[in-house]
């Protein structure tokens, strides 16, 4: 039982390159989230998916796209990376409905040069 | 105005001290509240939920003040291992998007 896994753990991109961050969970949770965390800014919600087949924008969605591939997987895509997207990206899940606990993956550290 | 705000700190306290953090929320309809802890370069993890009547878990006490729209976290007898960033969450409904406060940094000094 791995919980929430993220790949890759670390990535270096050049400006303009694209990449997809992967997130998978084996907790049978309905809701999945992508956050970014920058020094002094805390965790900011990029996109979330309340259930399979639905996605919604969070606080800072510009420059990102997401896909809820199935109940287990929620990917985050950067089509044209910019230095401002250098950050630590966390995926999180919760069961949906009721008192909610967020379970986080270990994070992906992204550096855009 | 941000939905959830916190004093970023840092709070530097000696071992054994009592320290309290506040977190204010803007949506008066918020119903569910949580405190998370995040260690350096790690993912956040749930510390405790906050119930209307207040709740305690060992050295940690969480309180809710609906009239003033804030939640608080009190840590008694601080340990070195309490050094971390503490994040709060306020949700309107169970299906609400989960927005975190910016976090309060705590350093417990020997």
């Amino acid at each position: 039982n791995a919980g929430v896994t993220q790949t890759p753990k670390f990535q270096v991109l050049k400006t303009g390159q694209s990449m997809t961050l992967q997130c998978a969970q084996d907790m049978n949770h309905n809701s999945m989230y992508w956050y970014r965390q920058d020094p002094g800014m805390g965790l900011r919600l990029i996109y979330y998916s309340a259930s399979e087949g639905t996605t919604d924008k969070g606080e800072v969605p510009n420059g990102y796209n997401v896909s809820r591939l199935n109940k287990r997987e929620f990917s985050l895509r950067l089509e044209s990376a910019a230095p401002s997207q250098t950050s630590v990206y966390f995926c999180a899940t919760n069961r949906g409905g009721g008192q909610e606990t967020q379970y986080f993956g270990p994070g992906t550290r992204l550096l855009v040069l | 105005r941000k939905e959830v705000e916190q004093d970023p700190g840092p709070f530097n306290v000696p071992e054994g001290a009592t320290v309290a953090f506040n977190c204010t929320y803007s949506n008066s309809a918020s119903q569910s509240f949580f405190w998370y802890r995040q260690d350096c370069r790690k993912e956040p993890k749930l510390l405790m939920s906050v119930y209307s009547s207040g709740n305690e878990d060992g050295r940690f006490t969480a309180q809710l003040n609906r009239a003033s729209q804030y939640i608080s976290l009190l840590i008694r007898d601080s340990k070195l291992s309490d050094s971390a960033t503490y994040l709060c969450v306020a949700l309107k409904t169970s299906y609400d998007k989960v927005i975190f406060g910016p976090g309060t940094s705590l350093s417990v000094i020997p």
Side-chain angles (χ1 to χ4, degrees):
Chain A
N1 189 341
V4 183
T5 58
Q6 291 183 236
T7 55
K9 286 187 168 49
F10 183 73
Q11 183 73 46
V12 179
L13 290 179
K14 294 181 179 177
T15 296
Q17 286 185 314
S18 63
M19 79 162 294
T20 300
L21 283 66
Q22 306 285 356
C23 175
Q25 51 105 356
D26 61 4
M27 307 175 81
N28 200 34
H29 284 173
N30 290 312
S31 302
M32 298 186 74
Y33 296 75
W34 276 106
Y35 296 90
R36 60 177 289 173
Q37 187 169 39
D38 305 293
M41 302 293 290
L43 279 166
R44 291 184 291 169
L45 181 64
I46 305 171
Y47 270 95
Y48 68 108
S49 170
S51 61
E52 186 179 352
T54 68
T55 61
D56 287 285
K57 295 179 181 179
E59 302 171 277
V60 288
N62 291 344
Y64 304 94
N65 286 302
V66 290
S67 294
R68 183 72 183 268
L69 305 169
N70 47 54
K71 190 171 186 179
R72 289 189 64 249
E73 298 171 290
F74 189 36
S75 62
L76 178 71
R77 182 158 178 85
L78 287 69
E79 290 291 353
S80 179
S84 61
Q85 293 178 305
T86 292
S87 189
V88 180
Y89 291 85
F90 287 103
C91 175
T93 75
N94 68 48
R95 184 169 43 91
Q99 296 288 315
E100 300 309 333
T101 299
Q102 291 283 71
Y103 295 88
F104 284 83
T108 294
R109 284 162 177 74
L110 176 65
L111 174 62
V112 183
L113 301 173
Chain B
R1 185 186 168 188
K2 282 188 161 233
E3 292 188 35
V4 181
E5 299 197 62
Q6 295 180 251
D7 181 344
F11 284 66
N12 299 313
V13 303
E15 269 187 292
T18 295
V19 62
F21 311 132
N22 280 347
C23 168
T24 58
Y25 58 94
S26 60
N27 192 332
S28 59
S30 296
Q31 295 292 331
S32 303
F33 308 91
F34 307 87
W35 282 102
Y36 282 75
R37 171 194 169 125
Q38 185 175 25
D39 294 304
C40 187
R41 300 181 70 80
K42 296 285 190 180
E43 70 272 23
K45 292 184 179 179
L46 180 70
L47 178 65
M48 56 197 305
S49 302
V50 185
Y51 303 124
S52 298
S53 56
N55 46 300
E56 190 174 304
D57 182 3
R59 298 181 293 108
F60 298 83
T61 300
Q63 295 280 354
L64 168 63
N65 185 318
R66 287 193 185 276
S68 300
Q69 292 184 210
Y70 74 84
I71 62 173
S72 63
L73 178 67
L74 181 78
I75 305 175
R76 290 181 300 278
D77 189 23
S78 298
K79 311 290 185 192
L80 295 176
S81 57
D82 294 334
S83 297
T85 296
Y86 292 83
L87 305 156
C88 66
V89 172
L91 299 179
K92 188 174 65 176
T93 70
S94 302
Y95 301 96
D96 204 7
K97 56 188 178 184
V98 182
I99 302 291
F100 283 80
T104 296
S105 174
L106 171 66
S107 290
V108 180
I109 304 162

